[in-house]
Every structure is written in structure tokens, then in C-alpha cells.
Amino acid sequence: MKTTSLMAFAAAMLLSTAAHAQISDGVIKIGVMNDMSGTYADLAGPGSVLAARMAVEDFGAAAKGLKVEILGADHQNKPDIGSNVVRTWIDVDKVDVIVDVPTSSVALAVNEIVREKNKVFLISGAAASNLTGDKCSPNTVHWTYDTWALANGTGNAIVKTGGDSWFFLTADYAFGHALERDTEAVVLKNGGKVVGKVRHPFPGTDFSSFLLQAQTSKAKIIGLANAGADTTNAIKQASEFGIVAGGQNLAGLLVFLTDVHSLGLKTAQGLIFTEAWYWDMNDTNRAFAAKFSAANKGVHPSMVHAGVYSAVTHYLKAVADLKSDADGKAVVAKMKATPTDDKLMGKGEIRADGRKIHPMYLFEVKKPEESKKPWDYYKLRATIPADQAFRPLAEGKCPLVTN
Amino acid sequence: MFEIFGIPSQALFGQLLLGLINGSFYALLSLGLAVIFGMLNIINFTHGAQYMMGAFVAWFLLQHFGLGYWWSLVIVPIVVGFTGVVVERLFLQRLYKLDHLYGLLLTFGLALIIQGVFRNYFGSSGLPYQMPQSLTGGQNLGFMFLPNYRVWVIVFSLTICLTTWFVIERTRLGANLRAATENPTLVRAFGINVPRMITLTYGFGVGLAALAGVMAAPIYNVNPLMGADLIIVVFAVVVIGGMGSIMGAIVTGFTLGIVEGLTKVFFPEASNTVIFVIMAIVLLIRPAGLFGRTA
């Protein structure tokens, strides 16, 4: 009898230690996965790993007794490769949190794996608003921006200044479709119309034939629902084909700092688009950019990098408070319960559907003569307040909210 | 204006013309590949990387020496062609006696290394390259706006293609070259330095790739992967035309440009795939390609 109760006591002790598992394997493993070598490598890529590392340093993880390890991997923009990496990371390498993952098709696949394995998924690079809509997950936080926010910011501004007929040039995969859908909704809501659309293979090189179709459509605005080299190629060729000179305007729906850098101001000037963060907005951002670019061959941080920094910071805060990283759902619940506050993206919150809420900014690309220093590319046109920047909770049809 | 399958004819003319322009890039690139394969029996997978190097060297000349587009057209093929000569001397000449597969693997590996190095130094999002002032603007043809630069591309590329064909098929130099691939020992007996001729031929093929790179720089994004995106299509063009057939490469390049252009109108989603569908069909019916000679 005595031995039995002793055994039971021992078992209970073991169980309780298991329940308070602190940090699984004694180390918090952060897996940064993105396009390390292809078209999105500059706007995310190794820079995101760097941003995560800076977040860990600034958080003072070591001083707080947390051991953090960062891994990086290349998903080559292919959902199958991305899924394999994430499965290996979680099953073999015991990774606790997956970060960044641009390319919405890959992010949607990873979203399901992370939910199934009960880990944490912090999205900075991917855009499809489905990730907090019909595909929302209790393990996922969509951090930096999404297609709805881009459409809302850029679409509204353009329709309201007279650009009321649109032709879409859309990358033929999950992200392009989502961006086109969300922008079309904004255009229609504001009384505009969509006169045509064409879906181009991803990645593409020559857009002249699609641009010609856009030209014959007589739409006032050609909406570029694509990203990276696709967008820069399309903009470059549009200027060659006299699209803008002919009275039509381009709307780059997703343009990153690195895209503007690659286009050069002469070609990119006047473009209007929405972003979540810009390095030259205040002293803190500038200091971050200086440190970041020094370690990144002079390339300045994009909003995706800032988002990774901000997301990792908040994640570490939640894990430090919980003293555990074992239960992904619990960590995300803790992250949602705590208001976000970090030096790059300021104060904000995470909604029940996993959407991180903060202001968005409408930028215009400077003219070459307005640019005073390297990487001085944007001027602020408008700030979209946090409560208007993202899709209202009820409209997303996220099962986490309706149930 | 009349309509064809619901597409206004004027849009269709425009697309045909654009297809022809893209076709001239395919033709120029596949020409280099065909020359190299026809004369050296090497499947040059580095071709895309060499095309990319062409664009980058043009950017470099403008950025650091202030040498514009016209200078680049002359200097870049020589510079990049010279790197080709080095590659041939160091590596390729050791492989001629082996199976095609070795050359393919070597050049594929080289392409990955070159792209990796460029990505490491220049990033992946690309560099700006402005069009020369004299070629900006365009003509309004009524059915479309045709940029002057594209006209230049088509004329220049056609000239280069036909000249190359003429030199190889119709001159004494070309005859020597073809003889050297058929029977090197015999040609050497006539006092012709065959290895040097082969080296220069490879350099020439590489120079053609670099030339296409310079022509692409003002209109396409100059980035380390620009060649990787294109090379697969170009290989399909060469296979359809018949490996090693020079006229085959030129004609197929232009034709497939047009086919791809039309696909972009009627079924844009398939425009990446259509060339490979054609390739599969051609391989089934004529395994040696449309213009290839069966061995």
C-alpha cells in the first residue's frame, strides 16, 4: 500500500513536471523560412534571419535565462518544399515557431502543418488575407500586412482621386488571386468598375503582351496584383510601351523598398502604394536600418524584415511570461492577450482571428531630385489608422470568431 | 475592325508583333546554344548564366566607367566571350571524348555557381538599367504603340542570326569548322589549329548569349536569375528546332515567340507551358527535332 502511494506520488510529480514543461528541450528554436535565393530573397531572405537575430539580441534573451536558436531555410517559393522543411523542422529538429514565409501558397500549406503539430506560425512575408479569414488558425498570427490592407490603402486612395476603371494584371497563384479579389472589392465598393483582368504565370519575364491587352481595355488604372521581379518587370515595360504617357496609370498593389531600389527612381517615381513600415520615418527606425544594412551588404530593411523583428520580440515576451513554449495554442493565446509594443512597429494588438493590428501608410515614390541620400525613396501621403487599416473582424469569416 | 475568335484584330496584330520580338530573344539565345552544340557537342547549360553576365557587365560598364549601351554592345560580348574561352580551356576541352551528360552536368554546376556568386554580391531584386536616349519613345501604328527599342531588338537580332548562319553554312571558315567537328584528325592534317578553333567557337557562342543579355537589360529586370528563368524555354526551342541545327534554332525561336504570344491572348495561364507541350509533341513525331538530321 505504502509503496503504491509512493509510486503514485512519484508519478504525479513526473506528470506535473511534464505539465510545466518549461521550454521544450531547454531551447527556443525559431525557424525562419522564406525565399532565400529567388525573386523574393531581397525583401525577405537572409535579411529576415538577421532581423530575427537582432530581435533576440535586443530582447536580451540570454540575460533572461532563455536559450534561443535560429534556423534558416529556403522554400524556393514551392509549397511542397516548404511543407517538407517545416515537417522536418518540427519533427526532427524540434523547432517551436515558424517565422516569415512569404509566398502565400507556401504559407497556406505551412499554416495547416503548424496547426496540426500545435506549434506557432508568425507570418510576415505572405500576403493572402485568407490566412486570417477562412483559413485562420489558433496557432497563427499574421503580422505585417495582408492583401486586404494593401487593397484598402492603395485602392481607396486611387479610386477616390478619379481612377475608377481598372484592369488587373495578376500573378496566377494564391497571393495574386487574393490581392485581385480584395482590390476588386474595394474598387466596386467605391463605385468603380473592373473592365478586365489577365492572369500571368509566376514568375514571368515579358509582360508586354499583357500590357497591350490592358492598353486596349482603355482602363484608367492597371492594377499590378503581383510582387517582386514580376512587378518591377511590368513597371519597366509599361514605361517602355508608353502606358503612362498614354494617360493610363499603374497601381503597384504590393511594392517593396527593394523593388523601388531595383527600378531606380527615374522609372519608379510617382508610384503610390501601401506599406506597414518604412526605415526613414523616425530615429528609432533609422538606427535599426543603419545596424541592419551594415550587416546586410547595405541593403536596407523592408517592412517584412521589420515585421519579423516585431513578431519575434512579441513571441519571446509571451514565452518568457508563460515560461513555456511547448503548447503552440497557449503561446498564441498569450500573445493575443498581451498588447504588442516594440520599438519598430509601436503599440498594437492581435485580434482573435490572428490579425496583428497597427497603422498602415500610403507612400509615394520620390522624384529623383527629391532623394537626398541613398535609399531615400518614399514620401508619406497618408496614414491609415489602425482601426481602419485591416479587414473588420466580422467580414473575414474566420471560424475562430464565428464559433 | 473585324474580330478573330472574339479578339479584335488590332489586338491580335499587336500580339503577333510582340511574339516576334520575344521570339528574337529566343532565336538569339538558341542560336548560341545551337552553335555550341553543333560544333562542340556540349550542351551548354551555362548559357542562361552567361546571358545574365552580359546584362550585368553592361550595368557595370555604365555604373563604373560611364560607358553606355552602344559601347556595351561591342565590349560585353568580348568580355563575357573571353570568360567563355577560359571556361573552355580549363574545363570543357577535357570532356569532348566523354558522354554529353558530363558536359551538361559541368555547365549546369557552373551556372549554379555563377548565379550564386552574383546573387551574393548584387542581391536578387535586380539593378536599374536605363534605355539609351536615342531608342526611347515609339511609333503609333494605329493598332498598337510600338516602342522604338523593340524594333531595334528585332532588326538587330535578325541581322546577327542571319550573319551567323551565313558564316557557318556558306563561308570557308564555316566549312573548316564543320569539317573539324566531323573529323578533327583529318582537318588537323591540313594544318588547321582545331583546338583553337573550337575554343573560339565556344567563346563566340557565349558572346552571343552576352549580347542577348545587353539587349535585355533596358527592358527586363537585371537580376542574377534572369537567365535561369529563360534558359529552360530556350532549351525547349533548341530541342524543337533540332539540336545543333542553326537555321532550326532561328526559325523555331521566332515561331515559338509568336505561338507563345498568341497563347498569352487566348489562354494566358498556359503561356508558360505551351512551348513544352509543343516540345513533347515534336519529340513524339520527329525525335530529331523539326530541322534536325537523324544520326
Side-chain angles (χ1 to χ4, degrees):
Chain A
M1 183 65 205
K2 208 170 182 185
T3 42
T4 329
S5 56
L6 201 65
M7 285 296 282
F9 180 70
M13 281 295 288
L14 277 172
L15 270 178
S16 70
T17 43
H20 291 152
Q22 294 126 2
I23 305 301
S24 55
D25 326 305
V27 50
I28 303 169
K29 280 204 180 173
I30 301 174
V32 180
M33 181 171 78
N34 54 34
D35 177 3
M36 294 276 179
S37 52
T39 170
Y40 302 150
D42 278 2
L43 62 93
S48 291
V49 180
L50 174 64
R53 191 167 297 132
M54 287 168 77
V56 173
E57 277 167 22
D58 290 355
F59 183 73
K64 292 191 172 71
L66 294 174
K67 203 170 157 224
V68 184
E69 212 176 285
I70 298 171
L71 292 96
D74 188 352
H75 62 40
Q76 298 172 35
N77 298 326
K78 296 190 176 90
D80 51 334
I81 295 182
S83 304
N84 277 337
V85 168
V86 168
R87 280 185 195 282
T88 319
W89 265 359
I90 294 175
D91 292 343
V92 181
D93 301 316
K94 309 292 175 208
V95 167
D96 301 296
V97 51
I98 312 289
V99 182
D100 199 6
V101 194
T103 317
S104 297
S105 46
V106 186
L108 285 162
V110 171
N111 191 42
E112 295 310 316
I113 300 171
V114 172
R115 186 207 309 252
E116 171 199 324
K117 307 272 184 193
N118 192 23
K119 299 292 173 190
V120 179
F121 185 21
L122 307 176
I123 304 165
S124 184
S129 60
N130 308 54
L131 288 159
T132 54
D134 53 349
K135 298 280 189 282
C136 73
S137 145
N139 297 74
T140 298
V141 182
H142 199 172
W143 205 271
T144 314
Y145 70 105
D146 62 27
T147 49
W148 196 95
L150 299 172
N152 175 57
T154 316
N156 261 331
I158 289 176
V159 180
K160 280 179 184 150
T161 48
D164 54 2
S165 60
W166 285 60
F167 185 98
F168 284 106
L169 204 69
T170 307
D172 192 16
Y173 74 105
F175 151 70
H177 297 180
L179 189 50
E180 179 198 288
R181 175 198 65 211
D182 289 344
T183 314
E184 186 170 356
V186 171
V187 171
L188 297 179
K189 199 179 87 187
N190 284 298
K193 59 177 193 288
V194 175
V195 296
K197 46 181 93 166
V198 60
R199 293 192 166 159
H200 69 77
F202 163 77
T205 309
D206 193 80
F207 293 88
S208 50
S209 135
F210 304 127
L211 289 167
L212 195 69
Q213 296 177 38
Q215 210 166 19
T216 29
S217 78
K218 306 269 192 296
K220 284 184 192 162
I221 302 292
I222 300 170
L224 304 176
N226 49 20
D230 285 345
T231 307
T232 50
N233 265 327
I235 293 173
K236 214 169 168 178
Q237 288 157 25
S239 103
E240 187 201 351
F241 276 83
I243 299 264
V244 180
Q248 287 174 304
N249 274 308
L250 290 175
L253 294 169
L254 178 52
V255 179
F256 294 96
L257 186 70
T258 44
D259 298 330
V260 174
H261 184 69
S262 109
L263 279 170
L265 289 181
K266 195 160 179 257
T267 317
Q269 59 181 314
L271 273 177
I272 295 170
F273 47 80
T274 308
E275 286 216 52
W277 188 86
Y278 174 52
W279 71 273
D280 203 13
M281 288 180 81
N282 57 48
D283 286 336
T284 326
N285 290 5
R286 277 186 283 271
F288 175 79
K291 199 175 161 197
F292 181 96
S293 60
N296 196 39
K297 301 192 191 79
V299 177
H300 279 50
S302 70
M303 67 166 165
V304 172
H305 300 136
V308 166
Y309 178 94
S310 169
V312 169
T313 306
H314 193 63
Y315 170 82
L316 290 174
K317 237 182 252 176
V319 170
D321 284 354
L322 281 177
K323 300 194 171 45
S324 165
D325 65 353
D327 180 356
K329 276 194 189 67
V331 175
V332 171
K334 180 75 187 166
M335 289 173 76
K336 287 177 182 170
T338 322
T340 63
D341 186 8
D342 62 85
K343 68 175 188 184
L344 294 187
M345 303 192 77
K347 291 187 198 307
E349 54 156 333
I350 301 166
R351 248 171 18 190
D353 58 357
R355 179 67 252 167
K356 156 86 160 68
I357 304 296
H358 48 254
M360 294 291 284
Y361 305 98
L362 190 69
F363 292 111
E364 182 181 332
V365 176
K366 288 184 171 175
K367 294 189 177 66
E369 61 271 19
E370 291 172 325
S371 173
K372 303 286 178 235
K373 55 192 169 188
W375 295 88
D376 175 15
Y377 295 150
Y378 297 177
K379 53 189 174 195
L380 185 64
R381 284 264 301 243
T383 300
I384 306 153
D387 58 339
Q388 295 164 26
F390 293 95
R391 179 176 57 203
L393 193 57
E395 286 174 24
K397 300 194 180 67
C398 164
L400 293 175
V401 179
T402 42
N403 293 344
Chain B
M1 269 295 167
F2 55 100
E3 289 193 354
I4 301 164
F5 298 121
I7 308 284
S9 60
Q10 51 171 313
L12 208 58
F13 290 145
Q15 299 297 348
L16 282 174
L17 201 55
L18 287 178
L20 213 56
I21 295 163
N22 283 336
S24 59
F25 273 105
Y26 292 155
L28 204 55
L29 280 167
S30 52
L31 175 70
L33 275 181
V35 168
I36 292 171
F37 183 78
M39 305 297 137
L40 284 72
N41 275 335
I42 290 282
I43 301 172
N44 186 29
F45 249 95
T46 327
H47 217 68
Q50 281 150 344
Y51 158 80
M52 176 271 287
M53 282 164 77
F56 268 86
V57 174
W59 173 85
F60 191 80
L61 288 178
L62 184 67
Q63 200 73 10
H64 295 277
F65 299 100
L67 294 172
Y69 178 82
W70 303 108
W71 281 107
S72 290
L73 276 184
V74 182
I75 300 173
V76 171
I78 297 172
V79 172
V80 181
F82 180 75
T83 66
V85 167
V86 174
V87 166
E88 202 273 348
R89 285 275 102 176
L90 281 179
F91 306 111
L92 289 178
Q93 62 161 341
R94 293 160 214 280
L95 300 176
Y96 296 138
K97 292 194 183 70
L98 299 172
D99 192 82
H100 292 332
L101 214 53
Y102 288 88
L104 186 151
L105 286 175
L106 176 89
T107 50
F108 186 59
L110 278 177
L112 292 181
I113 293 171
I114 295 171
Q115 279 164 15
V117 168
F118 274 76
R119 193 169 58 227
N120 188 43
Y121 286 102
F122 299 102
S124 69
S125 48
L127 306 164
Y129 191 84
Q130 293 298 334
M131 194 172 285
Q133 204 58 43
S134 47
L135 288 177
T136 50
Q139 312 300 326
N140 197 340
L141 301 181
F143 60 90
M144 74 175 288
F145 177 88
L146 182 63
N148 291 339
Y149 190 80
R150 304 266 168 162
V151 181
W152 158 250
V153 164
I154 212 168
V155 171
F156 187 67
S157 145
L158 207 56
T159 315
I160 296 282
C161 286
L162 293 178
T163 315
T164 308
W165 173 82
F166 184 81
V167 168
I168 290 181
E169 300 286 341
R170 292 285 181 271
T171 63
R172 187 169 178 82
L173 176 72
N176 286 345
L177 199 58
R178 280 177 291 133
T181 30
E182 290 284 320
N183 194 336
T185 330
L186 197 65
V187 174
R188 216 176 279 176
F190 287 114
I192 291 171
N193 186 343
V194 172
R196 190 176 67 197
M197 200 150 86
I198 296 289
T199 307
L200 290 178
T201 308
Y202 184 75
F204 175 73
V206 172
L208 283 178
L211 191 63
V214 180
M215 293 183 25
I219 47 175
Y220 297 150
N221 184 322
V222 179
N223 72 61
L225 295 175
M226 61 190 289
D229 297 340
L230 205 56
I231 193 68
I232 310 289
V233 177
V234 174
F235 262 100
V237 171
V238 175
V239 169
I240 295 169
M243 294 291 292
S245 160
I246 290 174
M247 199 37 117
I250 300 171
V251 174
T252 328
F254 280 101
T255 317
L256 288 184
I258 293 174
V259 171
E260 196 191 43
L262 291 180
T263 320
K264 280 177 176 168
V265 186
F266 292 108
F267 189 17
E269 288 88 342
S271 57
N272 258 18
T273 338
V274 64
I275 288 184
F276 301 103
V277 173
I278 296 176
M279 181 180 88
I281 295 171
V282 166
L283 285 180
L284 281 175
I285 299 169
R286 280 183 67 99
L290 294 177
F291 296 79
R293 284 161 286 208
T294 24

